[in-house]
Amino acid sequence: MDTADLGLPVDVPSTALFTDRYELTMLQAALRAGTADRRSVFEVFTRRLPEGRRYGVVAGTGRVLDAVENFRFEGGVLDFLAQQRIVDEPTLEWLAGFRFRGDIWGYPEGEVYFPGSPIMRVEGSFAEAVLLETVILSILNHDSAVAAAASRMSVAAGGRPLIEMGARRTHELAAVAAARAAYVGGFATTSDLAAGFRYNIPTVGTSAHAFTLLHDSERDAFVAQVDSLGSDTTLLVDTFNVAEAVRTAVEIAGTELGAVRIDSGDLLLLAHRVRQQLDDLGAKGTKIVVTSDLDEYAIASLAAAPVDAYGVGTRLVTGSGHPTCSMVYKLVARAESAAPDAPLVPVAKKSMGAKTSIGGRKWAARRLDAEGVAEAEVVGSGPVPEALAGRELLVELVRGGEIVAREPLDAARDRHAAARAGLPLSATQLSQGEPVLPTEYVGA
């Protein structure tokens, strides 16, 4: 059974108000002007990656599809818009029958992207496409930021499992989305049960310091936990004295103790000491899990330590210092009139600063070198060059308003691992640097 089909309180019956007011005022004005039905093309892209990042990670695509499908103006929503005098009566009537009936193409979830990559392309009438701007950006900006941080942490972990445990550090609904994005980026499990239920992500968790402090002694707490969960459980050993706790843990659970968790102190030093102590006690198979305000740099610093898994919270769910990807949603082409066969004309904002954009309906492809390693992100309008045929990155997501590209979350996770592996080796460096691939424009 797909647990996503069961639903949760985190699901909402309509996503229509996950938008900004000006989307609706533009709609009203366009309806009155007779331009609302002009065929239009909007694209999602970012002008730059967060400082120092070598690549971005597309995440949230599946959530975007859910949001588009549920974007409808029902009775209570329409009543609110009327009572607040946000739009006029003709616009309310138009909204009452709204369903997105256009097309959406985009980079598949888990793919990497670079400055200028047309991450998502939304095509339809101006009226229906403009309404989706805010909800699409809010999902992609948040989820892609978390997935990028997760990807960097996954690289730093060098194959050791990562546990997402940031639910208490963010909004309760954002926590579910963050756990999903972290899984796409390479995390193995989550502590958040809502995420496990909604997206079928494996969940883990045993006890906190409060459980130890509840009991009359640390020994009593360990006995209670082992009696309940078995010797394969993970015991938290830094409430009082780590060495004493490790000794007590092995005495109670035996050498089959599953793991110990260290949540404070000098993790590098403690990991080495605890590993030696466990080995001396005969618990050579007992794993060491470390937590405590980790990020990709802290994880990398523990690469030589005998650590078996990392638990990450705050830094992960806040994008490790970059909580947004600064993606934008821009009109890049529109028809000359509302006639069905009216030709599209490129349009673009011109700016004195760094906010210029390139008009035209675009494609993207990744050029590989002779060794099969990516060497450039090629973006263009018009025909795709023969040399890049078969390397196009955008896939069809929505056709005529119908979702055509739903997939298991594991598919996005596997895709990301493959996409990252296809980048130059310098992509995995944590030091400051420019995007690992240049973006080249063709015919634009």
Side-chain angles (χ1 to χ4, degrees):
M1 177 178 62
D2 184 354
T3 54
D5 293 336
L6 298 176
L8 258 191
V10 297
D11 291 330
V12 292
S14 169
T15 52
L17 291 185
F18 291 170
T19 189
D20 288 304
R21 178 166 175 158
Y22 79 168
E23 315 292 3
L24 298 186
T25 55
M26 284 191 288
L27 168 65
Q28 176 176 307
L31 287 171
R32 182 171 296 186
T35 53
D37 289 332
R38 287 188 175 186
R39 190 160 52 103
S40 299
V41 180
F42 286 84
E43 287 178 352
V44 176
F45 63 93
T46 184
R47 296 182 175 93
R48 65 191 66 83
L49 296 180
E51 184 179 357
R53 295 287 170 90
R54 305 297 181 92
Y55 60 91
V57 181
V58 178
T61 308
R63 295 208 310 119
V64 167
L65 298 181
D66 291 341
V68 170
E69 190 171 58
N70 292 318
F71 201 95
R72 56 194 62 191
F73 294 81
E74 298 165 336
V77 172
L78 293 170
D79 290 344
F80 165 76
L81 297 177
Q83 291 165 5
Q84 297 296 315
R85 301 180 182 274
I86 292 172
V87 292
D88 60 18
E89 190 62 33
T91 306
L92 289 172
E93 292 177 6
W94 189 93
L95 291 172
F98 174 81
R99 297 290 185 275
F100 180 74
R101 295 182 174 86
D103 303 326
I104 300 178
W105 289 69
Y107 280 39
E109 190 157 20
E111 184 58 84
V112 296
Y113 71 88
F114 299 91
S117 296
I119 296 163
M120 187 168 285
R121 188 175 71 223
V122 180
E123 304 184 34
S125 70
F126 175 83
E128 62 183 341
V130 76
L131 292 180
L132 300 180
E133 175 181 3
T134 301
V135 70
I136 287 177
L137 287 180
S138 66
I139 292 172
L140 293 181
N141 268 314
H142 172 269
D143 290 23
S144 297
V146 174
S151 179
R152 286 162 60 85
M153 293 174 190
S154 177
V155 168
R160 297 169 180 174
L162 290 157
I163 307 164
E164 185 282 314
M165 47 197 307
R168 64 192 62 187
R169 304 301 189 198
T170 189
H171 186 280
E172 65 273 19
L173 302 188
V176 180
R180 182 186 183 280
Y183 189 70
V184 171
F187 274 59
T189 53
T190 179
S191 66
D192 188 76
L193 290 179
F197 182 73
R198 179 68 179 85
Y199 296 114
N200 205 26
I201 301 170
T203 61
V204 295
T206 51
S207 68
H209 294 103
F211 185 77
T212 300
L213 297 172
L214 167 70
H215 293 81
D216 294 335
S217 68
E218 190 170 55
R219 175 177 291 274
D220 290 346
F222 287 177
V223 168
Q225 184 172 327
V226 171
D227 283 349
S228 174
L229 301 178
S231 61
D232 194 40
T233 190
T234 299
L235 294 175
L236 181 60
V237 295
D238 72 323
T239 306
F240 303 115
N241 180 282
V242 172
E244 290 181 9
V246 170
R247 183 167 53 253
T248 301
V250 176
E251 286 177 7
I252 293 167
T255 57
E256 300 304 310
L257 173 62
V260 296
R261 178 163 74 95
I262 308 170
D263 187 53
S264 60
D266 185 334
L267 298 179
L268 179 61
L269 176 64
L270 288 173
H272 281 285
R273 286 181 175 175
V274 169
R275 180 73 272 156
Q276 184 64 55
Q277 185 179 8
L278 287 170
D279 291 347
D280 290 344
L281 293 170
K284 295 185 177 181
T286 299
K287 299 183 183 303
I288 297 175
V289 180
V290 297
T291 53
S292 184
D293 294 327
L294 298 178
D295 62 10
E296 60 265 50
Y297 301 104
I299 292 170
S301 73
L302 294 169
V307 173
D308 298 287
Y310 306 91
V312 190
T314 303
R315 296 291 288 179
L316 173 64
V317 299
T318 56
S320 195
H322 298 288
T324 180
C325 300
S326 299
M327 294 179 186
V328 295
Y329 184 96
K330 296 299 181 183
L331 181 67
V332 296
R334 52 90 174 165
E336 293 180 338
S337 71
D341 59 349
L344 286 173
V345 294
V347 294
K349 173 183 178 179
K350 297 189 184 298
S351 172
M352 295 294 290
K355 287 191 172 184
T356 56
S357 56
I358 298 174
R361 182 179 183 274
K362 300 176 198 67
W363 50 263
R366 193 159 295 148
R367 191 174 67 240
L368 308 183
D369 65 16
E371 303 297 324
V373 177
E375 65 177 9
E377 192 88 339
V378 185
V379 177
S381 55
V384 178
E386 185 176 342
L388 294 174
R391 303 298 309 172
E392 297 96 330
L393 292 164
L394 278 77
V395 299
E396 191 176 26
L397 302 172
V398 178
R399 182 192 309 135
E402 297 296 324
I403 310 298
V404 297
R406 278 205 170 91
E407 62 181 5
L409 192 58
D410 279 323
R413 174 183 167 86
D414 293 344
R415 181 181 296 115
H416 175 62
R420 189 177 64 198
L423 296 176
L425 190 59
S426 58
T428 61
Q429 292 178 327
L430 297 181
S431 57
Q432 297 286 307
E434 297 299 315
V436 71
L437 296 186
T439 303
E440 299 177 1
Y441 291 96
V442 177

